Coordinates of all heavy atoms in Angstrom, one line a residue:
M25 N 24.2 12.7 -13.0 CA 22.8 12.5 -13.1 C 22.1 13.8 -13.4 O 22.5 14.9 -12.9 CB 22.3 12.1 -11.7 CG 21.8 10.7 -11.6 SD 20.8 10.4 -10.1 CE 22.1 9.9 -9.0
P26 N 21.2 13.8 -14.3 CA 20.5 15.1 -14.7 C 19.9 15.8 -13.5 O 19.3 15.1 -12.6 CB 19.4 14.6 -15.7 CG 19.8 13.2 -16.1 CD 20.6 12.7 -15.0
K27 N 20.0 17.1 -13.5 CA 19.3 17.8 -12.4 C 18.0 18.4 -12.9 O 18.0 18.9 -14.0 CB 20.2 19.0 -11.9 CG 19.7 19.6 -10.7 CD 20.6 20.8 -10.2 CE 21.6 20.2 -9.2 NZ 22.5 21.3 -8.7
V28 N 17.0 18.2 -12.2 CA 15.7 18.7 -12.6 C 15.2 19.7 -11.5 O 15.3 19.4 -10.3 CB 14.6 17.6 -12.7 CG1 13.2 18.1 -13.1 CG2 15.1 16.6 -13.8
T29 N 14.7 20.8 -11.9 CA 14.2 21.8 -10.9 C 12.7 21.8 -11.0 O 12.1 22.1 -12.1 CB 14.8 23.2 -11.2 OG1 16.2 23.1 -11.0 CG2 14.3 24.2 -10.2
Y30 N 12.0 21.6 -9.9 CA 10.6 21.6 -9.8 C 10.3 22.9 -9.0 O 10.8 23.2 -7.9 CB 10.1 20.5 -8.9 CG 10.4 19.1 -9.5 CD1 11.6 18.5 -9.3 CD2 9.4 18.4 -10.3 CE1 11.9 17.2 -9.8 CE2 9.7 17.1 -10.8 CZ 11.0 16.6 -10.5 OH 11.3 15.3 -11.1
I31 N 9.4 23.8 -9.6 CA 9.1 25.0 -8.9 C 7.6 25.0 -8.5 O 6.7 24.8 -9.4 CB 9.3 26.2 -9.9 CG1 10.8 26.2 -10.3 CG2 9.0 27.5 -9.1 CD1 11.2 27.3 -11.3
E32 N 7.3 25.1 -7.2 CA 6.0 25.1 -6.8 C 5.3 26.4 -7.2 O 5.9 27.4 -7.5 CB 5.9 25.0 -5.2 CG 6.5 23.7 -4.7 CD 6.3 23.5 -3.2 OE1 5.2 23.5 -2.7 OE2 7.3 23.5 -2.5
H33 N 3.9 26.4 -7.1 CA 3.1 27.5 -7.6 C 3.5 28.8 -6.8 O 3.4 29.9 -7.3 CB 1.6 27.2 -7.4 CG 1.2 27.2 -6.0 ND1 0.6 28.3 -5.4 CD2 1.3 26.3 -5.0 CE1 0.4 28.0 -4.1 NE2 0.8 26.8 -3.9
D34 N 4.0 28.7 -5.6 CA 4.4 29.9 -4.8 C 5.9 30.2 -5.0 O 6.4 31.1 -4.3 CB 4.1 29.6 -3.3 CG 4.8 28.5 -2.7 OD1 5.7 27.9 -3.4 OD2 4.6 28.1 -1.6
G35 N 6.6 29.6 -5.9 CA 7.9 30.0 -6.2 C 9.0 29.1 -5.5 O 10.2 29.3 -5.8
R36 N 8.6 28.3 -4.6 CA 9.6 27.4 -3.9 C 10.2 26.4 -4.9 O 9.5 25.8 -5.6 CB 9.0 26.7 -2.7 CG 9.1 27.4 -1.4 CD 8.6 26.6 -0.3 NE 7.1 26.6 -0.4 CZ 6.3 26.0 0.5 NH1 6.8 25.4 1.5 NH2 5.0 26.1 0.3
E37 N 11.5 26.4 -4.9 CA 12.2 25.6 -5.9 C 12.8 24.3 -5.2 O 13.3 24.4 -4.1 CB 13.4 26.4 -6.5 CG 12.9 27.5 -7.4 CD 14.0 28.1 -8.2 OE1 15.1 27.5 -8.3 OE2 13.8 29.2 -8.8
H38 N 12.8 23.2 -6.0 CA 13.4 22.0 -5.5 C 14.3 21.5 -6.6 O 13.7 21.0 -7.7 CB 12.3 20.9 -5.2 CG 11.3 21.4 -4.2 ND1 11.4 21.1 -2.9 CD2 10.2 22.1 -4.4 CE1 10.3 21.7 -2.3 NE2 9.6 22.3 -3.2
A39 N 15.6 21.7 -6.5 CA 16.5 21.2 -7.5 C 17.0 19.9 -7.1 O 17.7 19.8 -6.0 CB 17.6 22.2 -7.7
V40 N 16.7 18.8 -7.8 CA 17.1 17.5 -7.4 C 17.7 16.7 -8.5 O 17.5 17.1 -9.7 CB 15.9 16.7 -6.8 CG1 15.3 17.4 -5.6 CG2 14.8 16.5 -7.9
E41 N 18.5 15.7 -8.2 CA 19.0 14.8 -9.2 C 18.1 13.7 -9.5 O 17.6 13.1 -8.6 CB 20.4 14.3 -8.8 CG 21.4 15.5 -8.7 CD 22.8 15.0 -8.5 OE1 23.0 14.0 -7.8 OE2 23.7 15.7 -9.0
V42 N 17.8 13.4 -10.8 CA 16.9 12.4 -11.1 C 17.7 11.4 -12.1 O 18.2 11.8 -13.1 CB 15.7 12.9 -11.8 CG1 14.7 11.8 -12.2 CG2 15.0 13.9 -11.0
K43 N 17.7 10.1 -11.7 CA 18.4 9.1 -12.5 C 17.8 9.0 -13.9 O 16.5 9.0 -14.0 CB 18.2 7.8 -11.8 CG 19.3 6.8 -12.1 CD 19.3 5.7 -11.1 CE 19.7 4.5 -11.8 NZ 19.1 3.3 -11.3
S44 N 18.6 9.0 -14.9 CA 18.1 8.8 -16.3 C 17.2 7.5 -16.3 O 17.6 6.5 -15.7 CB 19.2 8.5 -17.3 OG 19.9 9.7 -17.4
G45 N 16.1 7.6 -17.1 CA 15.2 6.4 -17.2 C 14.0 6.5 -16.3 O 13.0 5.9 -16.5
L46 N 14.2 7.3 -15.2 CA 13.0 7.6 -14.3 C 12.1 8.6 -15.0 O 12.6 9.4 -15.8 CB 13.4 8.1 -12.9 CG 14.2 7.1 -12.0 CD1 14.5 7.8 -10.7 CD2 13.3 5.8 -11.8
S47 N 10.9 8.7 -14.6 CA 10.0 9.7 -15.2 C 10.2 11.0 -14.3 O 10.7 10.9 -13.2 CB 8.6 9.3 -15.2 OG 8.1 9.2 -13.9
V48 N 9.7 12.1 -14.8 CA 9.8 13.4 -14.1 C 8.9 13.2 -12.8 O 9.2 13.7 -11.8 CB 9.3 14.5 -15.0 CG1 9.1 15.8 -14.2 CG2 10.3 14.8 -16.1
M49 N 7.8 12.5 -12.9 CA 7.0 12.2 -11.8 C 7.7 11.4 -10.7 O 7.8 11.7 -9.5 CB 5.7 11.4 -12.2 CG 4.8 11.0 -11.1 SD 5.3 9.4 -10.3 CE 4.6 8.2 -11.4
E50 N 8.4 10.3 -11.1 CA 9.2 9.5 -10.2 C 10.3 10.3 -9.5 O 10.6 10.1 -8.3 CB 9.8 8.3 -10.9 CG 8.7 7.3 -11.3 CD 9.2 6.2 -12.2 OE1 10.0 6.5 -13.2 OE2 8.8 5.0 -12.0
G51 N 10.9 11.2 -10.3 CA 11.9 12.1 -9.7 C 11.4 12.9 -8.6 O 12.0 13.1 -7.6
A52 N 10.1 13.4 -8.7 CA 9.5 14.2 -7.7 C 9.2 13.4 -6.5 O 9.5 13.7 -5.3 CB 8.3 14.9 -8.2
I53 N 8.6 12.2 -6.7 CA 8.2 11.4 -5.6 C 9.4 10.9 -4.8 O 9.4 11.0 -3.5 CB 7.4 10.1 -6.1 CG1 6.1 10.5 -6.9 CG2 7.1 9.1 -5.0 CD1 5.0 11.1 -6.1
R54 N 10.4 10.5 -5.4 CA 11.6 10.0 -4.7 C 12.3 11.0 -4.0 O 13.1 10.7 -3.1 CB 12.6 9.3 -5.7 CG 12.0 8.0 -6.3 CD 13.0 7.3 -7.2 NE 12.4 6.1 -7.7 CZ 13.1 5.1 -8.1 NH1 14.4 5.1 -8.0 NH2 12.5 4.0 -8.6
N55 N 12.2 12.3 -4.4 CA 12.9 13.4 -3.7 C 11.9 14.2 -2.8 O 12.2 15.3 -2.4 CB 13.5 14.3 -4.7 CG 14.7 13.6 -5.4 OD1 15.8 13.4 -4.7 ND2 14.6 13.1 -6.6
N56 N 10.7 13.6 -2.5 CA 9.7 14.3 -1.7 C 9.4 15.7 -2.1 O 9.2 16.6 -1.3 CB 10.3 14.4 -0.2 CG 10.5 13.0 0.3 OD1 9.6 12.1 0.2 ND2 11.6 12.8 1.0
V57 N 9.3 15.9 -3.4 CA 8.9 17.2 -3.9 C 7.4 17.2 -3.8 O 6.7 16.4 -4.3 CB 9.3 17.4 -5.4 CG1 8.7 18.7 -6.0 CG2 10.8 17.4 -5.5
P58 N 6.8 18.2 -3.1 CA 5.4 18.3 -3.0 C 4.7 18.8 -4.2 O 5.3 19.4 -5.1 CB 5.2 19.3 -1.8 CG 6.4 20.2 -1.9 CD 7.5 19.4 -2.4
G59 N 3.4 18.4 -4.4 CA 2.7 19.0 -5.5 C 2.5 18.0 -6.7 O 1.8 18.3 -7.7
I60 N 3.1 16.8 -6.6 CA 2.8 15.8 -7.5 C 2.3 14.6 -6.8 O 3.0 13.9 -6.1 CB 4.1 15.4 -8.4 CG1 4.4 16.7 -9.2 CG2 3.8 14.2 -9.2 CD1 5.5 16.4 -10.2
D61 N 1.0 14.3 -6.9 CA 0.4 13.2 -6.1 C 0.6 11.9 -6.8 O 0.7 10.9 -6.1 CB -1.1 13.5 -5.8 CG -1.3 14.7 -4.9 OD1 -0.3 15.0 -4.2 OD2 -2.4 15.3 -4.9
A62 N 0.4 11.9 -8.1 CA 0.6 10.6 -8.8 C -0.3 9.5 -8.3 O 0.2 8.4 -8.0 CB 2.1 10.2 -8.8
D63 N -1.5 9.8 -8.2 CA -2.5 8.9 -7.6 C -2.5 7.5 -8.4 O -2.8 6.5 -7.8 CB -3.9 9.5 -7.7 CG -4.1 10.6 -6.6 OD1 -3.2 10.6 -5.7 OD2 -5.0 11.4 -6.8
C64 N -2.3 7.6 -9.7 CA -2.4 6.3 -10.4 C -1.1 5.6 -10.5 O -1.0 4.5 -11.2 CB -3.0 6.6 -11.8 SG -1.8 7.3 -13.0
G65 N 0.0 6.1 -9.9 CA 1.3 5.5 -10.0 C 2.0 5.5 -11.3 O 2.9 4.7 -11.5
G66 N 1.6 6.4 -12.2 CA 2.3 6.6 -13.4 C 1.6 5.9 -14.6 O 2.2 5.7 -15.6
A67 N 0.3 5.5 -14.4 CA -0.4 4.8 -15.5 C -1.1 5.7 -16.5 O -1.8 5.3 -17.3 CB -1.4 3.8 -14.9
C68 N -0.8 7.0 -16.4 CA -1.4 8.0 -17.3 C -3.0 8.0 -17.1 O -3.7 8.0 -18.1 CB -1.0 7.7 -18.7 SG -1.3 9.1 -19.8
A69 N -3.4 7.8 -15.9 CA -4.8 7.7 -15.6 C -5.4 8.6 -14.6 O -6.5 8.4 -14.1 CB -5.1 6.2 -15.3
C70 N -4.6 9.6 -14.1 CA -5.2 10.4 -13.0 C -5.0 11.9 -13.2 O -5.8 12.7 -12.7 CB -4.6 10.0 -11.7 SG -2.8 10.5 -11.5
A71 N -4.0 12.3 -13.9 CA -3.6 13.7 -14.2 C -3.3 14.5 -12.9 O -3.2 15.7 -12.9 CB -4.8 14.4 -14.9
T72 N -2.9 13.8 -11.8 CA -2.5 14.5 -10.6 C -0.9 14.7 -10.7 O -0.3 15.1 -9.7 CB -2.8 13.8 -9.3 OG1 -2.2 12.5 -9.3 CG2 -4.3 13.6 -9.2
C73 N -0.3 14.5 -11.8 CA 1.1 14.7 -12.0 C 1.3 15.8 -13.1 O 2.3 15.9 -13.7 CB 1.8 13.5 -12.4 SG 1.4 12.8 -14.0
H74 N 0.2 16.6 -13.2 CA 0.2 17.7 -14.2 C 1.3 18.7 -13.9 O 1.5 19.1 -12.8 CB -1.2 18.4 -14.2 CG -1.3 19.6 -15.1 ND1 -2.3 20.5 -14.9 CD2 -0.7 20.0 -16.2 CE1 -2.2 21.4 -15.8 NE2 -1.2 21.1 -16.7
I75 N 2.1 19.1 -14.9 CA 3.2 20.1 -14.7 C 3.2 21.0 -16.0 O 2.6 20.7 -17.0 CB 4.6 19.4 -14.6 CG1 4.8 18.5 -15.8 CG2 4.8 18.7 -13.3 CD1 6.3 18.1 -16.0
F76 N 3.8 22.2 -15.8 CA 4.1 23.1 -16.9 C 5.6 23.0 -17.2 O 6.4 23.3 -16.3 CB 3.7 24.5 -16.5 CG 2.3 24.6 -16.0 CD1 2.0 25.1 -14.7 CD2 1.2 24.3 -16.8 CE1 0.7 25.2 -14.3 CE2 -0.1 24.4 -16.4 CZ -0.4 24.8 -15.1
V77 N 5.9 22.6 -18.4 CA 7.3 22.5 -18.8 C 7.8 24.0 -19.1 O 7.1 24.7 -19.7 CB 7.5 21.6 -20.0 CG1 8.9 21.7 -20.5 CG2 7.0 20.2 -19.7
D78 N 9.0 24.3 -18.6 CA 9.5 25.6 -18.9 C 9.6 25.8 -20.4 O 10.0 24.9 -21.1 CB 10.9 25.7 -18.3 CG 11.5 27.1 -18.4 OD1 11.3 27.9 -17.6 OD2 12.3 27.3 -19.4
P79 N 9.2 27.0 -20.9 CA 9.1 27.2 -22.3 C 10.4 26.8 -23.0 O 10.4 26.3 -24.2 CB 8.8 28.7 -22.5 CG 8.1 29.0 -21.2 CD 8.7 28.2 -20.1
A80 N 11.5 27.1 -22.4 CA 12.8 26.8 -23.0 C 13.0 25.3 -23.3 O 13.8 24.9 -24.1 CB 14.0 27.3 -22.1
W81 N 12.3 24.5 -22.5 CA 12.4 23.0 -22.7 C 11.3 22.4 -23.4 O 11.3 21.2 -23.7 CB 12.5 22.4 -21.3 CG 13.8 22.6 -20.6 CD1 14.2 23.6 -19.8 CD2 15.0 21.7 -20.8 NE1 15.5 23.5 -19.5 CE2 16.0 22.3 -20.1 CE3 15.2 20.6 -21.5 CZ2 17.3 21.8 -20.0 CZ3 16.5 20.0 -21.4 CH2 17.5 20.6 -20.7
A82 N 10.2 23.1 -23.6 CA 9.0 22.6 -24.2 C 9.2 21.8 -25.5 O 8.6 20.7 -25.7 CB 7.9 23.7 -24.4
G83 N 10.1 22.2 -26.3 CA 10.3 21.6 -27.6 C 11.2 20.4 -27.5 O 11.4 19.7 -28.5
Q84 N 11.8 20.1 -26.3 CA 12.8 19.1 -26.2 C 12.4 17.8 -25.5 O 13.2 16.9 -25.3 CB 14.0 19.7 -25.5 CG 14.6 20.8 -26.2 CD 15.7 21.5 -25.5 OE1 16.7 20.9 -25.1 NE2 15.6 22.8 -25.2
L85 N 11.1 17.7 -25.3 CA 10.6 16.5 -24.5 C 9.7 15.7 -25.3 O 9.0 14.8 -24.7 CB 10.0 17.0 -23.2 CG 10.9 17.9 -22.3 CD1 10.1 18.4 -21.1 CD2 12.0 17.0 -21.8
G86 N 9.6 15.9 -26.6 CA 8.7 15.1 -27.4 C 7.3 15.6 -27.3 O 7.0 16.7 -26.6
E87 N 6.4 14.9 -27.9 CA 5.0 15.4 -27.9 C 4.1 14.7 -26.9 O 4.5 13.6 -26.4 CB 4.4 15.0 -29.3 CG 5.0 15.7 -30.5 CD 4.7 17.1 -30.6 OE1 3.6 17.5 -30.4 OE2 5.7 17.9 -30.9
R88 N 3.0 15.3 -26.5 CA 2.1 14.5 -25.7 C 1.6 13.3 -26.4 O 1.3 13.3 -27.6 CB 0.8 15.4 -25.4 CG 1.0 16.6 -24.6 CD -0.3 17.4 -24.5 NE 0.0 18.7 -23.9 CZ -0.8 19.7 -24.0 NH1 -2.0 19.6 -24.7 NH2 -0.5 20.9 -23.5
G89 N 1.5 12.2 -25.7 CA 0.8 11.0 -26.3 C -0.7 11.2 -26.3 O -1.2 12.1 -25.7
A90 N -1.4 10.3 -27.1 CA -2.8 10.4 -27.2 C -3.5 10.3 -25.9 O -4.4 11.0 -25.5 CB -3.3 9.4 -28.2
M91 N -3.1 9.3 -25.1 CA -3.7 9.1 -23.8 C -3.4 10.2 -22.8 O -4.3 10.7 -22.1 CB -3.1 7.8 -23.1 CG -4.2 6.8 -22.8 SD -3.4 5.3 -22.3 CE -3.4 5.4 -20.5
E92 N -2.2 10.7 -22.9 CA -1.8 11.9 -22.1 C -2.7 13.1 -22.4 O -3.2 13.8 -21.5 CB -0.3 12.1 -22.3 CG 0.2 13.3 -21.5 CD 1.7 13.6 -21.9 OE1 2.3 12.9 -22.7 OE2 2.2 14.5 -21.3
A93 N -2.9 13.3 -23.7 CA -3.7 14.5 -24.2 C -5.1 14.3 -23.7 O -5.7 15.3 -23.2 CB -3.6 14.6 -25.7
S94 N -5.6 13.1 -23.7 CA -7.0 13.0 -23.2 C -7.1 13.1 -21.7 O -8.1 13.7 -21.2 CB -7.7 11.8 -23.8 OG -7.0 10.7 -23.5
M95 N -6.1 12.7 -21.0 CA -6.1 12.9 -19.5 C -6.0 14.4 -19.2 O -6.6 14.9 -18.2 CB -5.0 12.1 -18.8 CG -5.2 10.7 -18.6 SD -6.8 10.2 -18.0 CE -6.8 11.1 -16.5
L96 N -5.2 15.1 -20.0 CA -5.1 16.5 -19.7 C -6.4 17.3 -19.9 O -6.5 18.4 -19.3 CB -3.9 17.1 -20.6 CG -2.5 16.9 -20.0 CD1 -1.5 17.2 -21.1 CD2 -2.3 17.6 -18.7
D97 N -7.3 16.7 -20.7 CA -8.6 17.4 -20.8 C -9.3 17.5 -19.5 O -10.2 18.3 -19.3 CB -9.5 16.5 -21.8 CG -9.1 16.7 -23.2 OD1 -8.3 17.7 -23.5 OD2 -9.5 15.9 -24.0
F98 N -8.9 16.6 -18.5 CA -9.6 16.7 -17.2 C -8.8 17.5 -16.2 O -9.3 17.6 -15.0 CB -9.8 15.2 -16.7 CG -10.6 14.4 -17.5 CD1 -10.1 13.4 -18.4 CD2 -12.0 14.5 -17.5 CE1 -10.9 12.7 -19.2 CE2 -12.8 13.7 -18.3 CZ -12.3 12.8 -19.2
A99 N -7.6 17.9 -16.5 CA -6.8 18.7 -15.6 C -7.2 20.1 -15.6 O -7.8 20.7 -16.5 CB -5.3 18.5 -15.9
E100 N -7.0 20.8 -14.4 CA -7.3 22.2 -14.3 C -6.2 23.1 -14.9 O -5.0 22.8 -14.7 CB -7.4 22.5 -12.8 CG -8.8 22.7 -12.3 CD -8.8 23.0 -10.8 OE1 -8.4 24.2 -10.5 OE2 -9.2 22.2 -10.0
G101 N -6.6 24.2 -15.5 CA -5.6 25.2 -15.9 C -4.6 24.8 -16.9 O -3.4 25.2 -16.8
V102 N -5.0 23.9 -17.8 CA -4.0 23.4 -18.8 C -3.5 24.5 -19.7 O -4.3 25.4 -20.1 CB -4.7 22.3 -19.6 CG1 -3.8 21.9 -20.8 CG2 -5.0 21.1 -18.7
Q103 N -2.2 24.5 -19.9 CA -1.6 25.5 -20.8 C -0.9 24.8 -21.9 O -0.8 23.6 -22.0 CB -0.5 26.3 -20.0 CG -1.1 27.1 -18.8 CD 0.0 27.7 -18.0 OE1 1.1 27.7 -18.3 NE2 -0.4 28.3 -16.9
E104 N -0.3 25.7 -22.8 CA 0.3 25.1 -24.0 C 1.5 24.1 -23.6 O 1.7 23.1 -24.3 CB 0.9 26.3 -24.8 CG 1.0 26.0 -26.3 CD 1.5 27.2 -27.0 OE1 1.0 28.3 -26.7 OE2 2.4 27.0 -27.8
T105 N 2.2 24.4 -22.5 CA 3.3 23.6 -22.1 C 2.9 22.5 -21.1 O 3.8 21.9 -20.5 CB 4.5 24.4 -21.6 OG1 4.0 25.1 -20.4 CG2 4.9 25.4 -22.6
S106 N 1.6 22.3 -20.9 CA 1.2 21.3 -19.9 C 1.6 19.9 -20.4 O 1.5 19.6 -21.5 CB -0.3 21.3 -19.8 OG -0.7 22.5 -19.1
R107 N 2.1 19.1 -19.4 CA 2.4 17.7 -19.7 C 2.0 16.9 -18.4 O 1.8 17.5 -17.3 CB 3.9 17.5 -19.9 CG 4.4 18.1 -21.2 CD 3.9 17.4 -22.5 NE 4.1 16.0 -22.5 CZ 5.1 15.3 -23.0 NH1 6.1 16.0 -23.6 NH2 5.2 14.0 -23.0
L108 N 2.0 15.6 -18.6 CA 1.8 14.7 -17.4 C 3.3 14.2 -17.1 O 3.9 13.7 -17.9 CB 0.9 13.6 -17.7 CG -0.6 14.0 -17.9 CD1 -1.4 12.7 -18.1 CD2 -1.1 14.7 -16.6
A109 N 3.7 14.5 -15.8 CA 5.1 14.2 -15.5 C 5.4 12.7 -15.6 O 6.6 12.4 -15.8 CB 5.4 14.7 -14.1
C110 N 4.4 11.9 -15.4 CA 4.7 10.4 -15.5 C 5.0 10.0 -16.9 O 5.5 8.9 -17.2 CB 3.6 9.6 -14.9 SG 2.0 9.6 -15.8
Q111 N 4.7 10.8 -17.9 CA 4.9 10.5 -19.3 C 6.2 11.0 -19.9 O 6.4 10.9 -21.1 CB 3.7 10.9 -20.1 CG 2.4 10.3 -19.6 CD 2.4 8.7 -19.7 OE1 2.7 8.1 -20.7 NE2 2.3 8.1 -18.5
I112 N 7.0 11.7 -19.1 CA 8.3 12.2 -19.5 C 9.4 11.4 -18.9 O 9.6 11.5 -17.7 CB 8.4 13.7 -19.2 CG1 7.3 14.5 -19.8 CG2 9.8 14.3 -19.7 CD1 7.2 16.0 -19.3
K113 N 10.2 10.7 -19.7 CA 11.3 10.0 -19.1 C 12.5 10.9 -19.1 O 12.9 11.6 -20.1 CB 11.7 8.8 -20.1 CG 10.7 7.7 -19.9 CD 11.3 6.6 -19.0 CE 10.3 5.4 -18.7 NZ 9.2 5.7 -17.8
V114 N 13.2 11.0 -18.0 CA 14.4 11.8 -17.9 C 15.6 11.1 -18.6 O 15.8 9.9 -18.4 CB 14.7 12.1 -16.4 CG1 16.0 12.9 -16.3 CG2 13.6 12.8 -15.7
A115 N 16.3 11.9 -19.4 CA 17.5 11.4 -20.0 C 18.7 12.4 -19.7 O 18.5 13.5 -19.2 CB 17.3 11.4 -21.5
E116 N 19.9 11.9 -19.9 CA 21.1 12.8 -19.6 C 21.0 14.2 -20.3 O 21.4 15.2 -19.7 CB 22.4 12.1 -20.1 CG 22.8 10.9 -19.3 CD 23.0 11.1 -17.8 OE1 23.5 12.2 -17.5 OE2 22.8 10.2 -17.0
A117 N 20.4 14.2 -21.4 CA 20.3 15.5 -22.2 C 19.3 16.4 -21.5 O 19.2 17.6 -21.9 CB 19.8 15.2 -23.6
H118 N 18.6 16.0 -20.5 CA 17.6 16.8 -19.8 C 18.2 17.5 -18.6 O 17.5 18.1 -17.8 CB 16.4 16.0 -19.4 CG 15.7 15.4 -20.5 ND1 14.9 14.3 -20.4 CD2 15.5 15.9 -21.8 CE1 14.4 14.0 -21.6 NE2 14.8 15.0 -22.5
D119 N 19.5 17.5 -18.4 CA 20.2 18.1 -17.3 C 19.8 19.6 -17.3 O 20.0 20.3 -18.3 CB 21.7 18.0 -17.4 CG 22.4 18.5 -16.1 OD1 21.8 18.3 -15.0 OD2 23.5 19.1 -16.3
G120 N 19.2 20.1 -16.2 CA 18.9 21.5 -16.2 C 17.4 21.8 -16.4 O 16.9 22.9 -16.4
L121 N 16.6 20.7 -16.7 CA 15.2 20.8 -16.9 C 14.5 21.6 -15.8 O 14.8 21.4 -14.6 CB 14.6 19.4 -17.1 CG 13.1 19.3 -17.3 CD1 12.7 19.9 -18.6 CD2 12.7 17.8 -17.2
I122 N 13.6 22.4 -16.2 CA 12.7 23.2 -15.2 C 11.3 22.9 -15.5 O 10.8 23.0 -16.6 CB 13.0 24.7 -15.3 CG1 14.5 25.0 -15.0 CG2 12.1 25.5 -14.4 CD1 14.9 26.4 -15.4
V123 N 10.5 22.5 -14.5 CA 9.1 22.3 -14.6 C 8.4 23.1 -13.5 O 9.0 23.2 -12.4 CB 8.7 20.8 -14.6 CG1 9.4 20.1 -15.7 CG2 9.0 20.1 -13.3
R124 N 7.2 23.5 -13.7 CA 6.4 24.2 -12.7 C 5.2 23.4 -12.3 O 4.6 22.7 -13.2 CB 6.1 25.6 -13.2 CG 7.3 26.5 -13.3 CD 7.0 27.9 -13.8 NE 8.2 28.7 -13.7 CZ 9.2 28.7 -14.6 NH1 9.1 27.9 -15.6 NH2 10.2 29.4 -14.4
L125 N 4.8 23.6 -11.1 CA 3.6 22.8 -10.6 C 2.4 23.7 -10.5 O 2.5 24.8 -10.0 CB 4.0 22.2 -9.2 CG 5.3 21.4 -9.2 CD1 5.7 21.0 -7.8 CD2 5.2 20.2 -10.1
P126 N 1.3 23.2 -10.9 CA 0.0 24.0 -10.9 C -0.4 24.3 -9.5 O -0.2 23.4 -8.6 CB -1.0 23.1 -11.6 CG -0.3 22.0 -12.1 CD 1.0 21.9 -11.5
E127 N -1.1 25.4 -9.3 CA -1.6 25.7 -7.9 C -2.6 24.7 -7.4 O -2.6 24.4 -6.2 CB -2.2 27.1 -8.0 CG -2.6 27.6 -6.6 CD -3.0 29.1 -6.5 OE1 -3.0 29.7 -7.6 OE2 -3.2 29.6 -5.4
A128 N -3.3 24.1 -8.3 CA -4.4 23.1 -7.9 C -3.8 21.9 -7.2 O -4.5 21.2 -6.6 CB -5.2 22.7 -9.1
Q129 N -2.4 21.7 -7.4 CA -1.8 20.5 -6.9 C -1.0 20.7 -5.6 O -0.1 19.9 -5.3 CB -1.0 19.8 -7.9 CG -1.7 19.0 -8.9 CD -1.0 18.6 -10.2 OE1 -1.6 18.6 -11.2 NE2 0.3 18.4 -10.1
H130 N -1.2 21.8 -4.9 CA -0.3 22.0 -3.7 C -0.9 21.3 -2.5 O -2.0 20.9 -2.5 CB 0.0 23.5 -3.5 CG -1.2 24.3 -3.1 ND1 -1.5 24.5 -1.8 CD2 -2.2 24.8 -3.8 CE1 -2.6 25.2 -1.7 NE2 -3.1 25.4 -2.9
Ligands
FES16 FE1 -1.3 9.5 -12.9 FE2 0.7 10.7 -14.2 S1 0.7 9.7 -12.3 S2 -1.4 10.4 -14.8

């Protein structure tokens, strides 16, 4: 199973295994990783699953979708590598993925 590391804004790391096919958001929720509220349950309608993808991985997860991009307009502190975790499906090739959680979501 691919391992995904979630790093909280204060540096606390959570390295967990996430089944392929689940989203990065679902991987956090199922493993009790704090900082991803996912208020809308993954419908791309809340932006409380905002994450920063590690720069080394930013090019390997596809592009933001149109709906995702417009939701990110409402998120705080958006950066170049910002994504919505519910819109990234984990695949075997993502083993070692690192994402960071914004301070606003702790
Ligand atoms: Fe709501 Fe991702 S869980 S936008």
Side-chain angles (χ1 to χ4, degrees):
M25 253 196 268
K27 189 179 266 183
V28 179
T29 300
Y30 301 81
I31 305 177
E32 293 185 67
H33 71 99
D34 60 4
R36 266 181 290 180
E37 292 190 12
H38 306 264
V40 299
E41 292 188 330
V42 180
K43 206 167 146 211
S44 289
L46 292 180
S47 69
V48 172
M49 175 279 275
E50 289 167 320
I53 300 290
R54 289 184 184 208
N55 289 287
N56 298 315
V57 175
I60 293 189
D61 291 340
D63 289 342
C64 76
C68 198
C70 71
T72 62
C73 65
H74 179 198
I75 54 165
F76 306 118
V77 176
D78 185 84
W81 283 92
Q84 296 175 57
L85 301 175
E87 299 287 317
R88 291 177 192 161
M91 236 171 98
E92 181 182 0
S94 52
M95 281 316 299
L96 278 169
D97 285 344
F98 298 101
E100 254 181 70
V102 173
Q103 301 175 3
E104 209 177 312
T105 62
S106 288
R107 293 290 307 267
L108 293 180
C110 68
Q111 300 303 301
I112 303 172
K113 284 261 180 285
V114 175
E116 291 299 330
H118 297 151
D119 186 38
L121 175 64
I122 298 170
V123 301
R124 292 183 172 76
L125 308 174
E127 186 165 8
Q129 276 166 219
H130 68 95

